[in-house]
Amino acid sequence: MKTLIIYYYNKKNIKIVAETLAKELECYICEVKDLKNRKGFKNRLTANIDSFREAKTEIYPPKLDLEEYDLIYFGTPAQANNPAPAIITMIDRCDLRGKDVILFATMASSGGESAIETMKKKITSRGGRVIETFTLKTKGMEEEDVIRSTESLINQLDLQMYSSY
């Protein structure tokens, strides 16, 4: 089974989770970049409003061909209890018919489950089947703590059984 991890990175913790998953599960990884400036207080506020509205944004890569993958992970930081606009945009551009999907979100204190539910609805409406989800509360965690917590989730959820090159 060929696996791809697709994630949006605006804070280091989601990137650490995605990279740890890719390393431990020996699978491919793709970072989705939001081409809109999301740095600074005003732009972060706009990003939260866009997340709340499920607004689309310009992303790179603009689209992914997922034909060769059997399992797709989508990861996002929770923003205003929603997925990041870049991930929503990517999900809406993907053909997920017949694909198994695992969703994950990082959060400072809350909002991860809500972000997962929003992604889940979009995935299923695009023909994908969500087979697992998880969230990771990362507030106050050092990089090594995030790595250990992710490794623990991999074992707890037995994610190895789904992935290989």
Side-chain angles (χ1 to χ4, degrees):
M1 179 177 283
K2 203 165 181 184
T3 303
L4 177 64
I5 297 169
I6 302 169
Y7 74 100
Y8 168 71
Y9 159 62
N10 73 343
K11 301 202 175 184
K12 70 177 182 172
N13 290 329
I14 190 73
K15 184 174 185 161
I16 294 166
V17 171
E19 289 176 346
T20 302
L21 287 167
K23 178 183 172 199
E24 295 297 317
L25 302 174
E26 298 179 341
C27 55
Y28 298 94
I29 188 168
C30 177
E31 177 186 345
V32 176
K33 296 181 188 226
D34 190 334
L35 299 179
K36 194 171 187 180
N37 182 4
R38 302 292 187 180
K39 296 189 185 320
F41 177 77
K42 181 181 175 190
N43 293 331
R44 282 195 312 269
L45 181 61
T46 302
N48 285 340
I49 292 167
D50 287 349
S51 291
F52 180 74
R53 292 181 178 165
E54 295 182 28
K56 306 298 183 289
T57 189
E58 290 300 314
I59 58 172
Y60 183 83
K63 190 173 181 179
L64 291 171
D65 180 3
L66 302 177
E67 186 175 327
E68 65 184 278
Y69 298 99
D70 304 300
L71 175 64
I72 314 296
Y73 283 72
F74 282 99
T76 184
Q79 292 181 203
N81 295 333
N82 288 293
I87 283 295
I88 289 297
T89 303
M90 181 55 77
I91 289 170
D92 284 347
R93 292 181 180 175
C94 288
D95 179 2
L96 297 169
R97 289 175 290 174
K99 302 294 180 185
D100 288 336
V101 178
I102 296 176
L103 304 173
F104 65 98
T106 59
M107 59 201 166
S109 57
S110 65
E113 291 299 328
S114 179
I116 294 283
E117 283 306 310
T118 299
M119 289 193 297
K120 191 174 187 177
K121 287 176 190 171
K122 290 200 163 285
I123 300 282
T124 56
S125 73
R126 304 215 35 89
R129 181 175 69 121
V130 176
I131 60 172
E132 186 63 80
T133 67
F134 65 91
T135 62
L136 184 59
K137 186 176 174 182
T138 59
K139 186 175 185 175
M141 286 183 144
E142 298 294 325
E143 183 173 336
E144 287 302 315
D145 298 325
V146 175
I147 292 169
R148 277 193 297 278
S149 294
T150 303
E151 290 170 344
S152 177
L153 281 166
I154 290 169
N155 291 325
Q156 179 184 350
L157 300 173
D158 199 15
L159 297 179
Q160 292 94 339
M161 75 175 167
Y162 300 113
S163 299
S164 65
Y165 275 109

